[in-house]
Amino acid sequence: MGSDRTVRINAPAKINLVLRVLDRRPDGYHNLWSVMQTVRLEDELYVGLSARAGIRLQCDEAGVPTDGRNLIVRAAAAVLARAGRSESRPPGVEIHLIKRIPVSAGLGGGSSDAAATVIALNALLGLGWSRDMMVSVSAPLGSDVPFFLFAPSALVRDRGEAVTSLSVTGARWVVLVNPGFPIETRWAYEQLSAGRTSVRPLSDALRRIERDGSVAWEQVVAVMENDFDAVLVPTHDALGQIKRQLMAAGAEVALLSGSGATVFGVFRDEATALHAQAALGKTEGWRVFAVPASSVPLSCEAGGAPRPAPVG
Ligand code: ATP
């Protein structure tokens, strides 16, 4: 990468175990109430400081922008600005992204990459920022970004910037199925708003999770819901088909993640999850991943050179 010091950091995908879209705010955004969980499907970032000024991003996947449209570049610029460093003076920032999380899929890949960039630069530049400080730098980048600073699980409210730790006890595997078409988040919100006249209040079970700050997988499986599910599943046949196949393969529950189009099933054990992955993987065009529903908190380690992405 031609940089003096490099760190490696994994950026995990997320799923929404609960996603309630509440009232529309005066600023046009909606208030959210979501239980979010990272899963072990991860992008890999190599972040380095360089003697050459500027922010440069390389990505192994064609189709992912590497300019100012990429949240990684915007995150790096936000960190430099808040740290009082000029982008036109060294040190510059060089980042190599190995993309494994499907894009525009409701899995928060870009947001996770952004949070990972903030964490890596905090370490590389020796800024010593607290998590609260990193939340304040990353919140303007997107509503899912602050969550990743609280991985593996958290309760996310308001516009996404009000994040509180939540422990989800026990263990599960998930099978993620991406049908191969994107659903634009903005469009999904428009469909949701057009189809409803009032907002359902939060259930007592969800209020209890909020109060306790801890929930067991058995309990959360029983209350999982996503407001986009009712709007998008009837209009996209593949989503209903995936849900039915996941349930037939032994999932405890199957639900859309975020505003889709990835659907995930929750499984008690690895063997059943791998079996489901093999069964659903037979459909051409679907990308299927079986992974543990957990990850470690995002943190960086001494880097080295990027390894090539595995095939498949
Ligand atoms: P969102 O709900 O924000 O759409 P998502 O998880 O469904 O989130 P992402 O994979 O984060 O989708 O990508 C959404 C859009 O962001 C795409 O149009 C993509 O080109 C752009 N993008 C910006 N930065 C990244 C990144 N680091 N990785 C992937 N996509 C990115």
Side-chain angles (χ1 to χ4, degrees):
M1 286 175 64
S3 56
D4 303 333
R5 277 179 67 207
T6 304
V7 293
R8 188 180 79 89
I9 182 163
N10 284 346
K14 62 82 181 163
I15 52 176
N16 301 83
L17 302 181
V18 178
L19 177 54
R20 292 295 323 278
V21 180
L22 306 174
D23 52 304
R24 202 185 158 105
R25 305 153 48 107
D27 61 12
Y29 290 87
H30 286 84
N31 280 317
L32 304 174
W33 196 102
S34 184
V35 175
M36 291 171 70
Q37 167 75 46
T38 49
V39 298
R40 219 169 295 159
L41 168 64
E42 298 169 321
D43 289 345
E44 194 174 335
L45 277 81
Y46 291 80
V47 183
L49 297 182
S50 145
R52 221 174 109 212
I55 299 166
R56 284 171 298 278
L57 173 66
Q58 280 177 47
C59 179
D60 59 337
E61 175 139 335
V64 174
T66 52
D67 56 17
R69 287 170 293 171
N70 197 298
L71 281 179
I72 291 176
V73 174
R74 291 175 44 208
V79 171
L80 292 180
R82 188 70 78 96
R85 316 266 177 128
S86 162
E87 268 185 55
S88 57
R89 283 212 207 105
V93 178
E94 295 199 358
I95 302 172
H96 186 108
L97 166 65
I98 298 176
K99 193 80 203 159
R100 301 203 181 95
I101 304 172
V103 175
S104 285
L107 295 173
S111 303
S112 185
D113 294 345
T117 303
V118 174
I119 291 169
L121 287 176
N122 184 34
L124 279 170
L125 295 167
L127 300 174
W129 286 349
S130 65
R131 183 162 68 179
D132 280 354
M133 179 65 179
M134 290 193 278
V135 167
S136 122
V137 172
S138 57
L141 300 168
S143 61
D144 286 344
V145 185
F147 157 70
F148 287 98
L149 301 165
F150 289 75
S153 332
L155 176 60
V156 178
R157 280 169 294 186
D158 303 342
R159 261 185 71 173
E161 76 289 2
V163 189
T164 44
S165 298
L166 179 74
S167 97
V168 180
T169 58
R172 287 295 188 276
W173 275 67
V174 289
V175 175
L176 310 167
V177 186
N178 182 263
F181 55 82
I183 294 182
E184 230 223 295
T185 306
R186 181 191 289 267
W187 179 84
Y189 271 98
E190 283 165 10
Q191 300 305 301
L192 183 69
S193 296
R196 69 179 184 185
T197 49
S198 63
V199 175
R200 211 159 30 88
L202 289 176
S203 65
D204 290 345
L206 298 186
R207 288 278 179 221
R208 209 168 309 126
I209 293 175
E210 182 171 306
R211 199 185 54 225
D212 295 349
S214 168
V215 65
W217 266 106
E218 280 80 34
Q219 294 168 295
V220 90
V221 157
V223 300
M224 275 171 52
E225 58 173 323
N226 179 341
D227 280 339
F228 287 111
D229 211 82
V231 182
L232 300 178
V233 173
T235 54
H236 296 75
D237 289 346
L239 304 181
Q241 220 177 314
I242 295 171
K243 288 180 79 165
R244 284 190 296 277
Q245 288 194 30
L246 283 168
M247 294 306 289
E252 293 172 90
V253 55
L255 200 66
L256 196 67
S257 184
S259 55
T262 304
V263 174
F264 66 96
V266 177
F267 290 83
R268 283 186 178 278
D269 58 75
E270 179 179 359
T272 324
L274 292 178
H275 209 261
Q277 180 189 27
L280 277 91
K282 289 183 185 138
T283 302
E284 203 172 323
W286 290 1
R287 292 175 73 188
V288 187
F289 307 87
V291 289
S294 66
S295 76
V296 289
L298 276 69
S299 68
C300 42
E301 55 187 59
R307 275 182 280 125
V311 179

